[in-house]
Amino acid sequence: ISYSDGKGQPIAAPSDVDSYSLTATIVDGNYMVSRVLFADGESSFKITAANIDDSELSLGFKEATYSGEVIVPGLTVVVNGSTLVEGTDYSVSKTDSVDAGSYKITVTGMGNYAGSAKATYEIAPKELVVTVKDVEIVVGDPIPEFEIGFSGFVGDDGPDDIFGELA
């Protein structure tokens, strides 16, 4: 039995999404194969795209801490036991994830894969430490304005980047 692709070109073995036909050769002077038919009466078969919806998406991490830099986890996509290749088997859609919050990665099949799958990850807020200069207050004295300091900022962030009030 030999195979040919949807363009009629001979191939070793079908594996990609396409239509294929079979040719059988019998070496016997009494018989000749006129055509190969499947049970449905067709002489060709199709390989359809595997559905990426059922894939296993593995992220390098599910949660990271705010760093002031873009944070994107590594991604592994497995369908039917095969690890897929980005750019060949799937494309990735994601937003730049810098600020604390929840982010979504969408994987869309291409080539021999169809459909899409999603995964989410979190960027947790970075912990800041607030320090207040010691002040002695005597009963009856007005409460002074406290001198406040912070530690734990990353990059160029500073007190002006904090929204809200210290409570």
Side-chain angles (χ1 to χ4, degrees):
I1 291 183
S2 60
Y3 304 97
S4 53
D5 64 15
K7 297 173 187 141
Q9 299 299 313
I11 58 167
S15 62
D16 293 329
V17 171
D18 202 348
S19 292
Y20 298 93
S21 58
L22 294 173
T23 304
T25 304
I26 295 178
V27 180
D28 184 316
N30 293 324
Y31 296 96
M32 175 186 84
V33 177
S34 62
R35 58 188 174 156
V36 177
L37 295 177
F38 290 93
D40 63 2
E42 294 293 321
S43 61
S44 64
F45 65 96
K46 290 182 181 182
I47 294 181
T48 59
N51 196 339
I52 209 165
D53 298 354
D54 302 325
S55 66
E56 298 172 32
L57 297 183
S58 299
L59 297 178
F61 60 83
K62 288 280 199 175
E63 186 173 306
T65 301
Y66 172 76
S67 68
E69 304 289 328
V70 173
I71 300 174
V72 179
L75 174 67
T76 303
V77 181
V78 178
V79 175
N80 299 328
S82 296
T83 301
L84 305 189
V85 177
E86 182 178 352
T88 300
D89 300 321
Y90 66 90
S91 62
V92 177
S93 172
K94 61 185 179 292
T95 56
D96 285 344
S97 46
V98 175
D99 296 326
S102 180
Y103 294 90
K104 177 173 50 175
I105 294 177
T106 302
V107 174
T108 303
M110 53 193 286
N112 289 327
Y113 299 90
S116 63
K118 295 177 171 102
T120 59
Y121 63 98
E122 301 285 328
I123 297 180
K126 171 94 169 75
E127 184 176 301
L128 291 178
V129 175
V130 177
T131 55
V132 180
K133 184 176 179 183
D134 288 337
V135 177
E136 184 177 318
I137 304 171
V138 177
V139 172
D141 285 348
I143 302 295
E145 215 169 289
F146 293 100
E147 291 181 39
I148 298 172
F150 298 92
S151 63
F153 285 108
V154 294
D156 294 331
D157 290 351
D160 292 339
D161 295 306
I162 298 175
F163 301 102
E165 294 185 23
L166 190 59

